[in-house]
Amino acid sequence: MRPNSNSREHFFHNIRSTLGNCHIVEDIIGEGGFGVVAKCRNTDTNKTVAIKINKSEAGILQQAVEEIAILKRLRCLNPDTCNIVRWDGFFFHKENICMTFELLDQSLYHYLQEQHTRGLTMGELKPILHQLATALAHLHSTETVHADLKPVNVMVVNRDQHPIQVKLIDFGLACPVSEVKQGACFGTVWYSAPEMLLGVPFKESFDMWSLGLIMAELILGCHLYPGKTVYDVLRFMVETQGQPPDEVLDQGLYTENYFFKQNNRTPRWRFKSPEDMYYQYGFYASDTRDIKLKSLDEIDLIKSMLNMDASKRIMAREVLQHPFFDPSIPESSSANAGEILAHTENHEGNTSPSMSAASWEERTDSHAQHPAPALSPVSWVEHPQVQQDNEGPLLFILLQCNTARVL
Ligand SMILES: Nc1ncnc2c1ncn2[C@@H]1O[C@H](COP(=O)(O)OP(=O)(O)OP(=O)(O)O)[C@@H](O)[C@H]1O
């Protein structure tokens, strides 16, 4: 029986062996709502490439056309020095649009999962972060927002290479800054900046928020702001960083969904509690437990990316100038970045540094000899989700706005 022309079977039937005139499908390496990414061998050149094969549904075709327009816009950028995936054009296979890219190794998400459940070493973190800031600096120089920056959209070029090289992929939601529509909500809620969640106009600084969250995740080995709904994610943000300024909230198309307007009071807006949400919308917050503060300090670079006010957020090219990347601070530490940052208390309240006292002192001494590092002992909070997962009291960075240090 012939598979229905809209079915998954039909789609896979169409791409089973060859694509276009000269691509042999060797493997399916990615699959999503859009279609699949296949590892293919070009029989003319004998080169192996990644081909993104989009389903032929109307909405997906439209998104593919828009992605191609963005990829064309980015052709002025050198994919190797700008840390952006190389795009070799597109072709049609039956009714499917196929885009050809250089073949990359594995996503940063999988790299983290496979190797570093407890976060990366400082030696690995720095080059990855520098390369992502480089990619964004170039992308933003073309007045384009990626709008879907997250570890699955960052690919490791070759996991055996040292230092690791990464590239930005997936421009399916990217758009010219001038075409950003206020109120548009897309991408992944965990990595979405507050301005998008609140329906405030957004621009390149949106990506900087996502980069801040990626940096925190690379250090911690888990998400900073997980949550099942927009409200949950906003609640994590507000609880740890305070709420965005009134001037930002005033512009949000969706502000009133999550905040009460208070007449003649400062601030003008008050974040709704889980109980407010329940009484108003019959809505259950996914987790109503408090986040417990463990200790407090600061991380300049993360804080400057995670500024609730997008207009005050650091830009990608400024990230590259940040003292965090000062070459006089050793890069090849084998210590876990989270451990270097953490100096925490255990449940009984005893001080229990994640590094030994000796290594902590060593680190502190080296601070005296080098310019002040951007990353000093961190502020941490216990995260309930991690506790639910029985992984013990993992620690989260506290980013309270009122303690943020101006760079
Ligand atoms: N150039 C590449 N080399 C190797 N694998 C790739 C490449 N591009 C994409 N992939 C794999 O295919 C997956 C999906 O690709 P991509 O993110 O471009 O599609 P998408 O439409 O955004 O998918 P999703 O629906 O997950 O957002 C990636 O997460 C990655 O694992």
Side-chain angles (χ1 to χ4, degrees):
M1 194 173 71
R2 248 181 92 91
N4 171 313
S5 67
N6 274 331
S7 68
R8 186 172 182 275
E9 291 70 33
H10 176 74
F11 179 66
F12 276 90
H13 175 81
N14 267 352
I15 60 164
R16 211 173 36 196
S17 51
T18 52
L19 285 179
N21 295 330
C22 58
H23 291 105
I24 295 177
V25 177
E26 292 187 342
D27 198 5
I28 300 295
I29 50 180
E31 189 178 348
F34 68 96
V36 298
V37 175
K39 177 181 169 190
C40 299
R41 190 165 51 78
N42 183 318
T43 48
D44 288 345
T45 62
N46 214 24
K47 266 181 66 180
T48 312
V49 291
I51 300 187
K52 185 167 174 172
I53 310 151
N54 290 275
K55 287 181 188 162
S56 56
E57 293 159 25
I60 294 172
L61 278 176
Q62 179 59 30
Q63 189 170 330
V65 168
E66 286 168 17
E67 184 168 0
I68 288 169
I70 291 288
L71 291 166
K72 283 186 175 168
R73 187 182 170 97
L74 302 182
R75 273 217 154 123
C76 58
L77 303 177
N78 177 326
D80 293 324
T81 55
C82 299
N83 295 93
I84 286 176
V85 65
R86 180 185 303 278
W87 176 57
D88 291 333
F90 72 97
F91 61 91
F92 284 91
H93 172 74
K94 301 184 180 168
E95 65 269 44
N96 308 103
I97 297 185
C98 303
M99 297 175 225
T100 309
F101 296 96
E102 67 177 306
L103 180 69
L104 300 167
D105 189 352
Q106 65 175 164
S107 75
L108 189 55
Y109 171 80
H110 289 110
Y111 179 78
L112 257 184
Q113 276 204 329
E114 268 182 22
Q115 320 208 5
H116 303 279
T117 49
R118 295 246 153 186
L120 298 183
T121 64
M122 289 294 273
E124 287 173 304
L125 173 67
K126 280 190 187 183
I128 291 177
L129 199 67
H130 196 274
Q131 291 168 44
L132 289 178
T134 301
L136 290 184
H138 287 287
L139 185 68
H140 295 169
S141 73
T142 68
E143 298 186 358
T144 307
V145 195
H146 185 279
D148 198 17
L149 184 61
K150 54 187 176 182
V152 286
N153 284 340
V154 174
M155 294 291 294
V156 170
V157 176
N158 173 0
R159 75 190 83 173
D160 298 324
Q161 202 181 356
H162 182 78
I164 215 82
Q165 197 195 346
V166 293
K167 287 194 169 195
L168 194 52
I169 63 161
D170 191 4
F171 294 87
L173 297 179
C175 62
V177 177
S178 58
E179 290 172 25
V180 165
K181 291 190 186 67
Q182 181 174 6
C185 273
F186 46 72
T188 309
V189 66
W190 286 357
Y191 299 93
S192 289
E195 57 268 26
M196 180 190 273
L197 303 181
L198 294 167
V200 175
F202 64 90
K203 50 184 185 172
E204 298 96 319
S205 45
F206 178 91
D207 291 333
M208 300 315 296
W209 176 276
S210 311
L211 185 62
L213 288 182
I214 290 180
M215 180 175 176
E217 188 169 334
L218 293 180
I219 292 172
L220 298 165
C222 54
H223 302 288
L224 187 61
Y225 293 145
K228 293 194 180 77
T229 63
V230 171
Y231 174 74
D232 286 331
V233 172
L234 281 171
R235 190 165 58 94
F236 278 126
M237 291 176 190
V238 171
E239 281 175 352
T240 51
Q241 294 183 246
Q243 60 184 56
D246 279 341
E247 307 77 70
V248 172
L249 293 170
D250 284 342
Q251 299 173 57
L253 297 179
Y254 314 127
T255 299
E256 291 197 22
N257 293 349
Y258 310 107
F259 290 81
F260 286 121
K261 194 159 194 175
Q262 320 186 99
N263 290 327
N264 304 321
R265 296 198 46 188
T266 308
R268 271 192 300 283
W269 296 96
R270 179 174 69 75
F271 191 62
K272 293 177 185 174
S273 67
E275 292 73 28
D276 294 330
M277 294 299 281
Y278 177 70
Y279 287 123
Q280 205 173 359
Y281 304 115
F283 167 94
Y284 286 101
S286 68
D287 195 320
T288 55
R289 279 182 294 171
D290 289 338
I291 300 173
K292 284 189 216 132
L293 173 63
K294 298 294 282 184
S295 67
L296 170 65
D297 213 314
E298 58 198 7
I299 310 175
D300 286 341
L301 183 51
I302 295 184
K303 277 183 173 175
S304 55
M305 290 191 269
L306 295 187
N307 195 314
M308 294 287 265
D309 184 348
S311 67
K312 301 209 170 79
R313 219 169 276 156
I314 193 170
M315 288 186 282
R317 60 186 149 78
E318 293 171 323
V319 169
L320 297 172
Q321 307 302 321
H322 194 279
F324 179 62
F325 296 111
D326 188 327
S328 61
I329 299 169
E331 272 190 10
S332 56
S333 165
S334 60
N336 175 290
E339 288 172 345
I340 290 172
L341 296 169
H343 191 257
T344 62
E345 293 180 350
N346 64 19
H347 277 309
E348 286 72 49
N350 301 323
T351 299
S352 164
S354 305
M355 296 177 76
S356 68
S359 58
W360 180 254
E361 272 169 32
E362 199 180 306
R363 181 80 192 165
T364 314
D365 280 353
S366 75
H367 288 175
Q369 291 156 17
H370 296 293
L375 297 175
S376 52
V378 186
S379 326
W380 301 99
V381 290
E382 264 181 8
H383 196 279
Q385 189 198 11
V386 177
Q387 296 208 324
Q388 277 173 3
D389 294 344
N390 288 328
E391 287 184 26
L394 260 190
L395 302 166
F396 270 66
I397 301 163
L398 181 82
L399 299 147
Q400 281 190 329
C401 280
N402 54 5
T403 60
R405 193 169 77 196
V406 179
L407 283 171

Coordinates of all heavy atoms in Angstrom, one line a residue, residues 314-361:
I314 N 24.7 43.5 28.2 CA 26.0 43.6 27.5 C 25.8 43.1 26.1 O 24.9 42.2 25.8 CB 27.0 42.7 28.3 CG1 28.4 43.0 27.8 CG2 26.7 41.2 28.1 CD1 29.5 42.3 28.7
M315 N 26.6 43.6 25.1 CA 26.5 43.2 23.7 C 27.6 42.1 23.5 O 28.6 42.1 24.2 CB 26.7 44.4 22.8 CG 25.5 45.3 22.8 SD 25.6 46.6 21.6 CE 26.7 47.7 22.4
A316 N 27.4 41.4 22.4 CA 28.3 40.3 22.1 C 29.7 40.8 22.0 O 30.7 40.2 22.5 CB 27.9 39.5 20.9
R317 N 30.0 41.9 21.3 CA 31.3 42.3 21.1 C 31.9 42.8 22.4 O 33.1 42.8 22.6 CB 31.5 43.4 20.0 CG 30.7 44.6 20.2 CD 30.8 45.5 18.9 NE 29.6 46.3 18.7 CZ 29.3 47.4 19.4 NH1 30.2 47.8 20.3 NH2 28.2 48.0 19.2
E318 N 31.1 43.3 23.3 CA 31.6 43.6 24.7 C 32.0 42.4 25.5 O 32.9 42.4 26.3 CB 30.6 44.5 25.4 CG 30.3 45.8 24.8 CD 29.1 46.5 25.4 OE1 28.1 45.9 25.8 OE2 29.1 47.8 25.5
V319 N 31.2 41.3 25.3 CA 31.6 40.1 26.0 C 33.0 39.7 25.7 O 33.8 39.3 26.5 CB 30.6 38.9 25.6 CG1 31.1 37.6 26.1 CG2 29.2 39.2 26.1
L320 N 33.4 39.9 24.4 CA 34.7 39.4 23.9 C 35.8 40.3 24.6 O 36.9 39.8 24.7 CB 34.8 39.6 22.4 CG 33.9 38.7 21.6 CD1 33.9 39.0 20.1 CD2 34.2 37.2 21.9
Q321 N 35.5 41.5 25.1 CA 36.4 42.3 25.8 C 36.4 42.1 27.3 O 37.2 42.7 28.1 CB 36.1 43.8 25.6 CG 36.0 44.2 24.1 CD 37.2 43.9 23.3 OE1 38.3 44.1 23.8 NE2 37.1 43.4 22.1
H322 N 35.5 41.2 27.8 CA 35.4 41.1 29.2 C 36.6 40.5 29.9 O 37.2 39.6 29.3 CB 34.1 40.2 29.5 CG 33.7 40.2 30.9 ND1 34.2 39.5 31.9 CD2 32.7 41.0 31.5 CE1 33.6 39.8 33.0 NE2 32.7 40.7 32.8
P323 N 37.0 40.9 31.1 CA 38.1 40.3 31.8 C 38.1 38.8 31.9 O 39.1 38.2 32.1 CB 38.1 41.0 33.1 CG 37.1 42.1 33.1 CD 36.3 42.0 31.8
F324 N 36.9 38.2 31.8 CA 36.8 36.8 31.9 C 37.7 36.1 30.9 O 38.2 35.0 31.1 CB 35.3 36.3 31.6 CG 35.1 34.9 31.7 CD1 35.3 34.1 32.8 CD2 34.6 34.2 30.5 CE1 35.1 32.8 32.9 CE2 34.4 32.8 30.6 CZ 34.6 32.1 31.7
F325 N 37.9 36.8 29.7 CA 38.8 36.2 28.7 C 40.2 36.7 28.7 O 41.0 36.5 27.8 CB 38.2 36.5 27.3 CG 36.8 35.8 27.1 CD1 35.7 36.6 27.0 CD2 36.7 34.5 27.1 CE1 34.4 36.0 26.9 CE2 35.5 33.9 26.9 CZ 34.3 34.6 26.8
D326 N 40.5 37.4 29.8 CA 41.9 37.9 30.0 C 42.9 36.7 29.9 O 42.8 35.8 30.7 CB 42.0 38.6 31.4 CG 43.4 39.3 31.5 OD1 44.4 38.8 30.9 OD2 43.4 40.3 32.1
P327 N 43.8 36.7 28.9 CA 44.7 35.5 28.7 C 45.6 35.3 29.9 O 46.1 34.2 30.1 CB 45.5 35.9 27.5 CG 45.3 37.3 27.2 CD 44.0 37.8 27.9
S328 N 45.8 36.3 30.8 CA 46.7 36.1 31.9 C 46.0 35.2 33.0 O 46.7 34.8 33.9 CB 47.1 37.4 32.5 OG 46.0 38.1 33.0
I329 N 44.7 35.0 32.8 CA 44.1 34.0 33.7 C 44.2 32.6 33.1 O 43.7 32.5 32.0 CB 42.6 34.4 34.0 CG1 42.6 35.8 34.6 CG2 41.9 33.4 34.9 CD1 41.2 36.4 34.7
P330 N 44.8 31.7 33.8 CA 45.0 30.4 33.1 C 43.7 29.7 32.6 O 42.7 29.8 33.3 CB 45.7 29.5 34.2 CG 45.6 30.3 35.5 CD 45.2 31.7 35.1
E331 N 43.8 29.1 31.4 CA 42.6 28.5 30.8 C 42.5 27.0 31.0 O 41.5 26.5 31.0 CB 42.7 28.8 29.3 CG 42.0 30.1 28.9 CD 41.8 30.2 27.4 OE1 42.0 29.2 26.7 OE2 41.5 31.3 27.0
S332 N 43.7 26.4 31.2 CA 43.7 24.9 31.1 C 43.5 24.3 32.5 O 44.2 23.3 32.8 CB 44.9 24.4 30.4 OG 46.0 25.0 31.1
S333 N 42.7 24.9 33.3 CA 42.4 24.3 34.6 C 41.7 23.0 34.4 O 40.8 22.9 33.6 CB 41.6 25.3 35.4 OG 41.1 24.6 36.5
S334 N 42.0 22.0 35.2 CA 41.3 20.7 35.1 C 40.1 20.7 36.1 O 39.3 19.8 36.1 CB 42.2 19.5 35.3 OG 42.7 19.7 36.6
A335 N 40.1 21.8 36.9 CA 39.0 21.8 37.9 C 37.7 22.2 37.2 O 37.6 22.8 36.1 CB 39.3 22.9 38.9
N336 N 36.6 21.7 37.7 CA 35.3 22.0 37.2 C 34.9 23.4 37.4 O 35.2 24.0 38.5 CB 34.3 21.0 38.0 CG 32.9 21.3 37.7 OD1 32.4 22.3 38.0 ND2 32.3 20.4 37.0
A337 N 34.4 24.1 36.4 CA 34.1 25.5 36.5 C 33.2 25.8 37.6 O 33.3 26.8 38.4 CB 33.6 26.0 35.2
G338 N 32.2 24.9 37.8 CA 31.2 25.2 38.8 C 31.9 25.1 40.2 O 31.6 25.8 41.1
E339 N 32.9 24.2 40.3 CA 33.6 24.0 41.6 C 34.4 25.2 41.9 O 34.5 25.7 43.0 CB 34.5 22.8 41.5 CG 33.7 21.5 41.6 CD 34.6 20.3 41.4 OE1 35.7 20.4 40.9 OE2 34.1 19.2 41.7
I340 N 35.1 25.8 40.8 CA 35.9 27.0 41.0 C 35.0 28.1 41.5 O 35.3 28.9 42.4 CB 36.6 27.4 39.7 CG1 37.7 26.4 39.5 CG2 37.2 28.8 39.9 CD1 38.3 26.5 38.1
L341 N 33.8 28.1 41.0 CA 32.9 29.2 41.4 C 32.2 29.0 42.7 O 31.9 29.9 43.4 CB 31.7 29.3 40.3 CG 32.2 29.7 38.9 CD1 31.1 29.5 37.9 CD2 32.7 31.1 38.9
A342 N 32.0 27.7 43.1 CA 31.2 27.5 44.2 C 32.0 27.5 45.5 O 33.1 26.9 45.6 CB 30.5 26.1 44.1
H343 N 31.5 28.0 46.5 CA 32.0 28.0 47.9 C 30.8 28.0 48.7 O 30.4 29.1 49.1 CB 33.0 29.1 48.1 CG 33.8 29.0 49.3 ND1 33.5 29.6 50.5 CD2 34.9 28.2 49.6 CE1 34.4 29.3 51.4 NE2 35.2 28.5 50.9
T344 N 30.3 26.8 49.0 CA 28.9 26.8 49.5 C 28.8 26.2 50.9 O 29.8 25.7 51.4 CB 28.1 25.9 48.5 OG1 28.7 24.6 48.6 CG2 28.2 26.5 47.1
E345 N 27.6 26.2 51.3 CA 27.3 25.6 52.6 C 26.5 24.3 52.4 O 25.7 24.2 51.5 CB 26.5 26.6 53.5 CG 27.3 27.8 53.8 CD 26.4 28.8 54.7 OE1 25.2 28.5 54.7 OE2 27.0 29.8 55.2
N346 N 26.8 23.4 53.3 CA 26.0 22.1 53.2 C 24.7 22.3 54.0 O 24.4 23.3 54.6 CB 26.8 20.9 53.6 CG 27.2 21.0 55.1 OD1 26.6 21.7 55.8 ND2 28.2 20.2 55.4
H347 N 23.9 21.2 54.0 CA 22.6 21.3 54.7 C 22.7 21.7 56.2 O 21.8 22.4 56.7 CB 21.9 19.9 54.6 CG 21.2 19.8 53.3 ND1 20.4 20.7 52.8 CD2 21.3 18.8 52.4 CE1 19.9 20.3 51.6 NE2 20.5 19.1 51.4
E348 N 23.8 21.3 56.8 CA 23.9 21.6 58.2 C 24.4 23.0 58.4 O 24.5 23.5 59.5 CB 24.9 20.7 58.9 CG 24.3 19.3 59.2 CD 24.2 18.5 57.9 OE1 25.2 18.4 57.1 OE2 23.1 17.9 57.6
G349 N 24.7 23.7 57.4 CA 25.1 25.1 57.5 C 26.6 25.2 57.6 O 27.2 26.3 57.8
N350 N 27.4 24.0 57.6 CA 28.8 24.1 57.6 C 29.4 24.5 56.3 O 28.9 24.1 55.3 CB 29.4 22.7 58.0 CG 28.9 22.2 59.3 OD1 28.7 23.0 60.2 ND2 28.6 20.9 59.3
T351 N 30.5 25.3 56.4 CA 31.1 25.6 55.1 C 31.7 24.4 54.5 O 32.4 23.7 55.1 CB 32.1 26.7 55.4 OG1 31.4 27.8 55.9 CG2 32.8 27.1 54.1
S352 N 31.4 24.2 53.3 CA 31.9 23.0 52.6 C 32.3 23.3 51.2 O 31.5 23.1 50.2 CB 30.8 21.9 52.6 OG 31.0 20.9 51.7
P353 N 33.5 23.9 51.0 CA 33.9 24.3 49.7 C 33.9 23.1 48.7 O 34.3 22.0 49.1 CB 35.3 24.8 49.9 CG 35.6 24.8 51.4 CD 34.6 23.9 52.0
S354 N 33.5 23.4 47.5 CA 33.5 22.3 46.5 C 34.9 21.9 46.2 O 35.2 20.8 45.8 CB 32.8 22.8 45.3 OG 31.5 23.2 45.6
M355 N 35.9 22.8 46.3 CA 37.2 22.4 46.1 C 37.8 22.3 47.5 O 37.3 22.7 48.5 CB 38.0 23.6 45.4 CG 37.5 23.9 44.0 SD 38.4 25.2 43.3 CE 40.0 24.5 42.9
S356 N 39.0 21.6 47.6 CA 39.6 21.5 48.9 C 40.1 22.8 49.3 O 40.2 23.7 48.5 CB 40.8 20.5 48.8 OG 41.8 21.2 48.0
A357 N 40.3 23.0 50.7 CA 40.7 24.3 51.2 C 42.0 24.7 50.5 O 42.1 25.9 50.2 CB 40.8 24.2 52.7
A358 N 42.9 23.8 50.3 CA 44.1 24.1 49.7 C 43.9 24.7 48.3 O 44.5 25.7 47.9 CB 45.0 22.9 49.7
S359 N 43.1 24.0 47.5 CA 43.0 24.5 46.1 C 42.2 25.8 46.1 O 42.4 26.6 45.3 CB 42.2 23.4 45.3 OG 41.0 23.1 45.8
W360 N 41.4 26.0 47.1 CA 40.6 27.3 47.2 C 41.6 28.4 47.5 O 41.6 29.4 46.8 CB 39.5 27.2 48.3 CG 38.8 28.5 48.4 CD1 38.9 29.4 49.3 CD2 37.9 29.0 47.4 NE1 38.1 30.5 49.0 CE2 37.4 30.2 47.9 CE3 37.3 28.5 46.2 CZ2 36.5 31.0 47.2 CZ3 36.4 29.3 45.5 CH2 36.0 30.5 46.0
E361 N 42.5 28.1 48.4 CA 43.5 29.2 48.8 C 44.4 29.5 47.6 O 44.7 30.6 47.3 CB 44.3 28.7 50.0 CG 43.7 29.1 51.3 CD 44.4 28.4 52.4 OE1 45.6 28.2 52.4 OE2 43.7 28.1 53.4

